[in-house]
Amino acid sequence: MGLTMSLSGCGTSGESEEVTLRLVAADYGDGAKNSSQKYWDEVVSAFQKDHPDIKVDVDVESWKNVDGKVAKMVKDDDAPDMAQIGAYADYAVHKKLYSADDVLSIPVQADFLPSLTAAGEVNRIQYGMPFAASTRLLFYNKTLFKNAGLTPPTTWKELQEDAQALKNRGVKYPFALPLGREEAQAETFMWMLSGGSGLTDNIDSYTLDSPQNQSTFTWLRDQLVGKGLTGPVAPGELDRADAFSAFTRGEVGMLNGHPTLMGAAQAAGVDYGMVPMPGKDGKAKSTMGVTDWMMAFKQHGHRKQISQFLDFVYSEKNVTKFSDEYNLLPVTDSASHAMSVDSKHTDLREFLRELPNSQLYPAGKLSWAQVSASLKQEIGSAVKPGGNPESVLTHIQREAAAEENAE
């Protein structure tokens, strides 16, 4: 998730003219009580005590609307000064953004986790600046596991055996596999990494139809879905939100989840555990990481003021405060260390350990938006009874290549 940071040395000494910055930001809350508007109001109020000549107007929008709102503002030739949204590559390619070098001090840039910095680059120049992050672990229902005499799986074989034992005891969703259109690209990516491949290779070329990925989805089709271990809803019809809700109702034995599931499970009284995602023959070499982005638009030319504000936003105090409020992972080393040694965040430590070595979506590729949409639309059919993973993955790979060639 991604705001930027700024040049602490960019002062405005000698300048008395008031400047108003506009930030459009996504809402991470689930209601008025914990709306992100409250967080930003507090940040802006503290910032303006030392910078009375810089006003900051923050417009917080739901995730459903925020990307579209920024796109319309840019189309109408009235870009905000900053936007904290889901994707930056299109604006970077069309030269709408300041680079991170333009608006971040060296200490601030150096404080970002390297894997997140790399994911914010287009043609090796960083434009997308991470704001908050998440990664994934395998959640399991401790009560259901205890009743079945099970231990958490470390391999695919153990996962399948545990799921079978849970099914034998009448568990509704032994393993919830949400490949519905809400977030199928995430579940897909996790399983690709677990199987030893991924979305792209070391030179950032798509590897969607790699032999390992074909093998992974063939295994899912035959060993989980085909054996009736994924519950009454077909994976291609199961959204992540519905899978999470089923977990909080005690109906799911295992599923891949992110940190926000912890709070929901605790509130529902579900006794849960978390372990790294099993790999084919042992712990997966890496897990999936996710970040949203902050970007700074060049249109109104407020680079110095943007820099001062973002430098304040990315202080350890503010990064930690935001991450703590929404059960998300901080994007800086300093805040990550602060949270990892704080006993209040014991439950987040495994997520924090996984994040530095996680792999992120290829967000710097313009083609990724269409590839993600294709995965949401098609991947569920690869694992249904009689599905053909090779055919589905090859088709999406060809679509990806066509998008790449069109850039």
Side-chain angles (χ1 to χ4, degrees):
M1 313 162 112
L3 267 171
T4 59
M5 284 209 67
S6 85
L7 295 164
S8 57
C10 286
T12 55
S13 113
E15 299 180 7
S16 57
E17 181 181 357
E18 183 178 276
V19 168
T20 298
L21 300 177
R22 292 183 299 165
L23 165 64
V24 179
D27 194 352
Y28 292 83
D30 54 14
K33 185 176 180 180
N34 68 341
S35 168
S36 296
Q37 189 71 58
K38 179 181 177 182
Y39 168 80
W40 284 113
D41 287 348
E42 292 174 354
V43 169
V44 169
S45 177
F47 172 75
Q48 289 183 336
K49 288 179 181 178
D50 293 327
H51 301 85
D53 294 332
I54 304 175
K55 286 188 60 181
V56 185
D57 289 341
V58 184
D59 180 8
V60 172
E61 297 280 345
S62 71
W63 272 110
K64 182 178 179 180
N65 299 324
V66 68
D67 290 282
K69 172 157 188 168
V70 172
K72 185 177 187 305
M73 293 175 74
V74 173
K75 183 179 179 181
D76 292 345
D77 199 31
D78 188 27
D81 295 286
M82 296 162 286
Q84 187 266 298
I85 53 177
Y88 66 87
D90 185 59
Y91 302 122
V93 168
H94 289 95
K95 304 186 184 305
K96 303 286 187 182
L97 303 180
Y98 287 116
S99 72
D101 286 340
D102 290 330
V103 292
L104 299 183
S105 66
I106 291 175
V108 166
Q109 279 188 281
D111 200 24
F112 286 132
L113 297 172
S115 62
L116 306 186
T117 296
E121 295 177 351
V122 173
N123 296 325
R124 300 190 178 185
I125 297 174
Q126 185 184 1
Y127 295 95
M129 293 161 280
F131 180 63
S134 175
T135 188
R136 302 293 192 264
L137 292 173
L138 181 73
F139 281 68
Y140 65 97
N141 184 308
K142 284 187 174 182
T143 301
L144 297 179
F145 265 62
K146 181 179 179 181
N147 292 342
L150 302 175
T151 57
T154 60
T155 67
W156 287 2
K157 183 175 184 293
E158 291 176 2
L159 187 150
Q160 192 271 344
E161 291 172 346
D162 285 353
Q164 185 64 60
L166 292 167
K167 180 186 178 183
N168 293 344
R169 295 185 64 86
V171 174
K172 189 172 183 179
Y173 293 89
F175 184 92
L177 183 66
L179 293 176
R181 296 182 187 180
E182 178 192 355
E183 205 187 13
Q185 82 284 0
E187 191 74 15
T188 297
F189 192 17
M190 282 183 273
W191 279 100
M192 286 179 170
L193 292 171
S194 177
S197 186
L199 294 165
T200 57
D201 59 20
N202 292 333
I203 58 172
D204 208 29
S205 296
Y206 286 111
T207 56
L208 300 162
D209 62 346
S210 68
Q212 297 98 316
N213 287 340
Q214 292 180 31
S215 177
T216 293
F217 281 85
T218 298
W219 185 88
L220 287 171
R221 180 195 66 190
D222 296 342
Q223 300 302 317
L224 288 186
V225 181
K227 294 182 182 297
L229 303 180
T230 54
V233 180
E237 303 298 324
L238 182 63
D239 285 341
R240 183 166 302 282
D242 294 331
F244 279 15
S245 293
F247 188 81
T248 64
R249 294 194 300 268
E251 298 173 353
V252 175
M254 297 174 281
L255 84 171
N256 292 312
H258 48 64
T260 57
L261 181 55
M262 296 189 302
Q266 289 166 2
V270 174
D271 188 12
Y272 65 91
M274 303 176 297
V275 293
M277 174 71 173
K280 188 172 183 178
D281 300 307
K283 181 179 179 291
K285 292 181 180 179
S286 61
T287 188
M288 182 189 75
V290 177
T291 184
D292 297 325
W293 303 101
M294 177 67 80
M295 58 215 72
F297 286 87
K298 296 190 294 185
Q299 181 176 353
H300 302 292
H302 295 148
R303 183 181 67 86
K304 290 183 179 181
Q305 292 86 356
I306 291 170
S307 297
Q308 289 178 303
F309 179 63
L310 293 179
D311 195 48
F312 182 77
V313 166
Y314 278 97
S315 67
E316 178 187 316
K317 175 183 176 181
N318 285 327
V319 173
T320 302
K321 180 180 179 181
F322 184 86
S323 302
D324 180 50
E325 175 68 27
Y326 298 107
N327 266 335
L328 293 165
L329 305 183
V331 296
T332 62
D333 279 317
S334 58
S336 292
H337 176 72
M339 290 185 74
S340 67
V341 298
D342 187 343
S343 60
K344 181 173 136 182
H345 300 296
T346 301
D347 286 348
L348 282 176
R349 286 176 183 168
E350 189 61 45
F351 288 102
L352 289 165
R353 280 192 288 268
E354 294 288 328
L355 184 60
N357 297 316
S358 65
Q359 293 192 33
L360 282 76
Y361 298 132
K365 297 166 79 69
L366 276 180
S367 56
W368 170 239
Q370 182 56 51
V371 172
S372 176
S374 295
L375 288 169
K376 292 178 182 181
Q377 178 81 20
E378 301 180 43
I379 197 63
S381 66
V383 300
K384 69 181 182 181
N388 188 329
E390 179 181 357
S391 174
V392 172
L393 291 168
T394 298
H395 180 249
I396 300 174
Q397 176 74 23
R398 288 173 179 166
E399 288 184 334
E403 286 290 324
E404 291 274 88
N405 293 333
E407 289 183 12

